[in-house]
Amino acid sequence: MLLSAKTAIISGAASPHGIGLATARRFAAEGARVAILDIDASTAADAAASLGRSHIGLRCDVADKSSCEQAVARVIESFGSIDILINNAGITQPVKFLDISPADWDRIQDVNLKGILFLSQAVIPHMRARKSGSIACMSSVSAQRGGGIFGGPHYSAAKAGVLGLAKAMAREFGPDGIRVNCVTPGLIGTDITAGKLTDEMRAKILEGIPLNRLGTADDVAGIYTFLASDLSAYVTGAVIDVNGGMLIH
Ligand code: NAD
């Protein structure tokens, strides 16, 4: 098993059809103990229980620094150590540039970008002390192509910010044995689009995907598993596309 005796935190992993829960399932199957952190305590606890008894689910609002610190302290109390952090939580909003309100901008940046800063700041001192850790951060193809999929320009900006932040983290913490990488999925069939993805939008997107299908949560879970495991021991600061060839250039 790729992750035996490892412990992992995955943020935004309580949603039933989401990338986070698919990743939690995959990690558990590879031998890891998983802490699911999500915005609602009981949904997080239920998601963790669905994986088996050795896993935990905790409330954590990644956009709130003290919430991140409290959740990470509880994970360390329960598991004793943290080997892997998957910064997966995110929200989106399909809105045009001129319609982005100050509140929209803040909400999208806070969860998608600042959330990665806060949760990583809570975990890194622990990883640094152990001279070991793997962190993977969720970006998006929207960061690379300036949207045009579902999320608005503020989502593209936040996800592009993730790429810069993660690469800077990879530089700063490489000497401490901490690897930091990003995944950039294309359109993945989850509930994040909240029923707002029309058949017409879907058909148009499919035209630009050489593998001729939308992605699945498991497609991304496999890449997170690679980045979390020692298979990627010499990979840091990397960005891995999971998009069916949507961005071949
Ligand atoms: P999802 O809506 O199923 O999952 C997102 C999870 O994040 C949910 O469980 C939600 O409760 C949680 N969350 C939201 N705000 C939070 C907060 N403040 N603190 C903690 N948790 C919070 O959607 P998904 O598609 O599985 O999205 C997972 C990640 O993948 C997101 O970062 C998203 O932006 C990114 N992504 C998704 C796609 C796609 O097409 N689905 C493509 C590229 C990137």
Side-chain angles (χ1 to χ4, degrees):
M1 289 197 285
L2 288 171
L3 304 176
S4 48
K6 302 265 192 200
T7 54
I9 287 179
I10 309 177
S11 69
S15 164
H17 305 114
I19 294 166
L21 185 54
T23 304
R25 273 194 220 105
R26 184 71 189 260
F27 280 19
E30 295 289 351
R33 292 181 80 187
V34 179
I36 287 178
L37 270 45
D38 212 298
I39 195 80
D40 178 71
S42 69
T43 321
D46 289 350
S50 77
L51 301 176
R53 288 179 54 187
S54 53
H55 312 283
I56 58 172
L58 303 171
R59 182 186 185 278
C60 174
D61 176 359
V62 294
D64 176 342
K65 190 170 163 73
S66 69
S67 176
C68 291
E69 288 167 350
Q70 283 167 31
V72 168
R74 284 185 61 192
V75 178
I76 294 173
E77 218 175 271
S78 300
F79 290 174
S81 62
I82 302 166
D83 299 297
I84 299 156
L85 168 62
I86 306 295
N87 280 310
N88 175 73
I91 54 171
T92 190
Q93 184 189 26
V95 65
K96 297 275 190 210
F97 183 87
L98 292 177
D99 298 326
I100 298 169
S101 71
D104 291 337
W105 174 267
D106 287 348
R107 206 165 50 86
I108 294 291
Q109 306 306 313
D110 282 358
V111 178
N112 291 292
L113 181 55
K114 206 154 76 174
I116 292 184
L117 174 73
F118 289 160
L119 194 54
S120 302
Q121 282 181 328
V123 169
I124 284 175
H126 169 81
M127 287 182 168
R128 203 177 205 179
R130 302 177 69 227
K131 290 274 172 216
S132 167
S134 175
I135 299 176
C137 302
M138 177 55 88
S139 178
S140 168
V141 72
S142 299
Q144 301 160 306
R145 42 170 281 163
I149 305 293
F150 183 80
H154 51 348
Y155 179 77
S156 297
K159 293 299 192 185
V162 171
L163 298 178
L165 182 66
K167 287 181 188 189
M169 288 161 64
R171 261 181 211 287
E172 185 170 343
F173 300 111
D176 294 305
I178 301 170
R179 300 185 294 108
V180 187
N181 294 290
C182 284
V183 290
T184 41
L187 187 59
I188 309 297
T190 70
D191 295 333
I192 201 167
T193 46
K196 290 183 186 156
L197 184 78
T198 63
D199 287 347
E200 197 186 332
M201 285 160 84
R202 184 188 301 266
K204 206 165 163 213
I205 291 165
L206 269 177
E207 276 173 23
I209 303 179
L211 289 183
N212 199 31
R213 66 170 176 87
L214 298 191
T216 66
D218 284 332
D219 289 328
V220 185
I223 302 305
Y224 271 149
T225 306
F226 166 71
L227 291 174
S229 79
D230 291 340
L231 288 178
S232 59
Y234 200 51
V235 178
T236 196
V239 177
I240 302 190
D241 291 355
V242 196
N243 60 25
M246 178 192 274
L247 200 74
I248 294 170
H249 61 285

